[in-house]
Amino acid sequence: MSIVFNSSSERARIWSARFTQLLPDLPFRTIDDRSSRADVEFLVTWKNPPGLLESFPNLKVVFSTGAGVDQFEPEGFPDHLKLVRMIEPGLSSGMAEFVLMAVLMLRRDMIAYAEQQRRKEWKFLGIRPATATRVGVMGLGEMGQAALAALAPMGFALSGWSRNRREIAGVSCHAGIEELPHFLGGSDILVCLLPLTGETRGILNAANLSLLPQGACLVQVGRGPHLVDADLIAALDSGRLGAALVDVLEPEPPAPEHPFWSHPRILYTPHVASTIQPASSADVVIENILRFRRNEPMIGLVDLSRGY
Ligand code: NDP
Ligand code: OXD
C-alpha cells in the first residue's frame, strides 16, 4: 500500500523526508508517478479535479492540505472514503497573525490613510481605545480560536459566533442563526472564519451587513462565496461600512474587471491569510495514518453530513 502526494515539489521534498523517517513502511509517491494506482490507500491533495478520486480504485482516506474542504463537496463525497481536513499549528499561527494584522490595520484606519497618502492629504483620524473596539469572529473552530487568542492581548472586546454554543474565556459567545443579529450588531470589526457549507454560502449579504454598527469593517478570510461582492460594494459606497480586507473571492483569481481590485476602501489579498507548514503538516498526516491503522479517530475527520 502507498500514499500519493499532490502538491508542490518543494513540499513533496520535505514530506517525503518525513515519511521516510517516520513511516518507512509506506511508500511515498508524488502524483506524477506513473506506476499503478491500485495500491494507493491514501491521497494528499488540495485540488479535487473531476476523476481524481476515481483514478485510485483502492483509496481509503483523502487528506486535504487545507483547513477548508468545500472543494471536495462533502454532501456528495463518496461515503466509502474518509475525508480529513488539515489541523496543524503552522496553519493556525499563520491565520492568527494575519487576522491580528488585518484587525489592527482596520482599527488604526490604515486603508483610509493609504487613500489620504494618494491624495497627499495630511490629516489625523483619531485613535479610539482598544477596549472600545468590538471584534466579532464568525466561526469558532481552529482558525477562529487561534485568531481570538492573538487578538485577546490587545484588549479588544471580543465576541464569537458558531453553530453550537462554545465557551471561550474572555469571549462573549453566540450560537445559531437566532443569535446572529445580536452578534452582528456588536461587531465593529467582523472577521469571517466560517467553512463554506450550504448554510454559510452568501451569509455576508446585504441583510446581514446592514445589522453591523455604522462604519463597521470586515475581514473576510473564509471563502469567496460567503460574501455577496456587490452587497459589500454597496455598503461601502453608501458609507454604512468603513473598509474591508478581503483575502478570498470566487473565482480566484478574479477577473481583471472585478471591482475589488481597485476599490479604494478594500484591501484585497490573493488568498494568502495562511497556509500549511510542510514539516508539521506531514507529521499530522503521519499521526493520522497511524491512528487509522489502529482504528482510532483521525484528527480533523470531516463530518460529511454537516459539510465541515
Ligand atoms: P473548523 O471546522 O475548526 O471550525 C468551523 C467553525 O465554524 C466552527 O466553530 C463551526 O461551529 C462554525 N460553523 C460552521 N457552520 C456554521 C453555521 N452554519 N453557523 C455558525 N457557525 C458555523 O474550521 P477551521 O477553523 O479550521 O477553518 C474555518 C475556515 O477558515 C475554513 O473552512 C476556510 O474556509 C477558512 N480558511 C481560510 C484560509 C485562508 O488562507 N484564507 C486558511 C485556512 C482556513 P461549531 O463550533 O458549532 O462546529
Ligand atoms: C485552507 C486555505 O482552507 O488555505 O487551508 O484556505
Side-chain angles (χ1 to χ4, degrees):
M1 284 300 166
S2 65
I3 181 165
V4 161
F5 185 76
N6 181 24
S7 188
S8 69
S9 52
E10 169 63 12
R11 280 182 181 166
R13 197 177 47 72
I14 296 165
W15 277 61
S16 171
R18 299 302 287 175
F19 271 76
T20 306
Q21 186 189 342
L22 299 169
L23 209 55
D25 67 323
L26 186 72
F28 182 91
R29 293 159 46 182
T30 55
I31 192 80
D32 41 17
D33 181 330
R34 291 279 150 217
S35 44
S36 164
R37 294 189 159 187
D39 72 338
V40 176
E41 221 176 353
F42 306 106
L43 173 66
V44 180
T45 186
W46 168 251
K47 294 194 172 134
N48 180 30
L52 177 71
L53 304 187
E54 294 74 12
S55 71
F56 298 98
N58 295 308
L59 194 60
K60 295 207 167 73
V61 186
V62 178
F63 294 103
S64 170
T65 56
V69 287
D70 44 285
Q71 69 277 35
F72 296 99
E73 296 174 8
E75 335 57 75
F77 196 75
D79 52 14
H80 69 283
L81 295 180
K82 298 202 180 306
L83 177 60
V84 181
R85 62 193 202 85
M86 186 60 75
I87 299 180
E88 71 96 12
L91 191 57
S92 305
S93 62
M95 182 58 77
E97 187 179 281
F98 191 89
V99 170
L100 175 60
M101 174 202 67
V103 167
L104 290 175
M105 284 185 74
L106 291 168
R107 188 185 115 65
R108 295 300 300 268
D109 300 311
M110 291 309 287
I111 294 181
Y113 282 124
E115 257 190 287
Q116 285 190 188
Q117 182 185 2
R118 283 190 288 273
R119 290 198 302 265
K120 300 188 180 164
E121 187 180 350
W122 199 91
K123 190 170 124 201
F124 177 49
L125 296 175
I127 305 174
R128 299 171 302 279
T131 48
T133 301
R134 298 165 297 171
V135 182
V137 176
M138 302 178 96
L140 296 176
E142 299 297 321
M143 297 296 129
Q145 293 201 37
L148 284 161
L151 291 164
M154 304 306 304
F156 301 127
L158 299 175
S159 66
W161 182 69
S162 55
R163 227 162 131 243
N164 305 294
R165 190 166 309 283
R166 298 269 185 153
E167 274 187 32
I168 305 169
V171 179
S172 163
C173 292
H174 307 263
I177 202 73
E178 55 295 336
E179 293 183 20
L180 182 60
H182 182 63
F183 162 76
L184 291 173
S187 297
D188 298 314
I189 299 181
L190 179 69
V191 179
C192 176
L193 272 169
L194 290 166
L196 181 64
T197 66
E199 285 178 11
T200 64
R201 182 176 292 272
I203 196 162
L204 300 174
N205 55 28
N208 284 335
L209 294 177
S210 76
L211 298 174
L212 293 168
Q214 171 62 35
C217 293
L218 173 70
V219 178
Q220 161 54 334
V221 274
R223 282 290 181 270
H226 286 140
L227 176 65
V228 181
D229 301 352
D231 292 356
L232 176 63
I233 299 272
L236 291 169
D237 288 351
S238 70
R240 266 289 292 135
L241 295 190
L245 197 154
V246 176
D247 183 57
V248 285
L249 268 182
E250 181 72 12
E252 289 174 342
E257 57 277 10
H258 195 287
F260 285 14
W261 284 119
S262 53
H263 196 284
R265 306 207 60 80
I266 295 177
L267 179 58
Y268 172 59
T269 52
H271 200 144
V272 294
S274 191
T275 191
I276 54 167
Q277 290 304 322
S280 45
S281 55
D283 290 0
V284 166
V285 169
I286 289 168
E287 166 64 18
N288 267 336
I289 291 172
L290 294 172
R291 283 169 175 251
F292 179 78
R293 286 177 172 175
R294 295 193 297 257
N295 255 330
E296 290 171 10
M298 288 182 284
I299 300 158
L301 182 66
V302 173
D303 177 343
L304 297 175
S305 65
R306 64 176 197 181
Y308 68 98

